[in-house]
């Protein structure tokens, strides 16, 4: 298998880009407290651990998720 320096540089850049995208998605998924994401599930569990009622937790989750959705839409996402 013959490999030129251009191929090695391209492969290196491709791997770096893939890692960068995966880390970005990981951080977005974990730290955005909108419900279907892991951050939203963490928020729900934290509120329930603080002995909030299920109704209060649901309202807080809906409010935070709605705010995050509007924020993402306003930013062009």
């Amino acid at each position: 298998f013959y490999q030129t320096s251009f191929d090695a540089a391209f492969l290196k850049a491709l791997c770096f880009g893939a890692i960068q995208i995966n880390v970005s998605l990981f951080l977005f998924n974990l730290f955005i407290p909108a419900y279907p994401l892991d951050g939203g599930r963490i928020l729900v569990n934290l509120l329930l651990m603080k002995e909030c009622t299920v109704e209060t937790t649901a309202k807080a989750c809906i409010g935070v998720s709605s705010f995050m959705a509007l924020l993402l839409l306003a930013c062009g996402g």
Side-chain angles (χ1 to χ4, degrees):
F1 181 75
Y2 180 74
Q3 188 175 18
T4 65
S5 63
F6 173 75
D7 292 336
F10 174 74
L11 184 60
K12 182 179 177 181
L14 185 66
C15 289
F16 180 75
I19 291 170
Q20 194 173 20
I21 289 171
N22 278 315
V23 169
S24 298
L25 287 173
F26 165 75
L27 293 174
F28 180 83
N29 187 28
L30 189 61
F31 293 116
I32 300 294
Y35 179 66
L37 302 175
D38 291 337
R41 295 174 196 272
I42 292 170
L43 174 66
V44 168
N45 288 322
L46 286 175
L47 289 173
L48 290 174
M49 283 178 16
K50 291 284 187 181
E51 298 181 2
C52 293
T53 64
V54 173
E55 183 179 333
T56 304
T57 301
K59 287 181 181 180
C61 184
I62 289 169
V64 170
S65 296
S66 298
F67 174 76
M68 293 308 297
L70 291 174
L71 185 65
L72 285 173
L73 284 173
C75 291

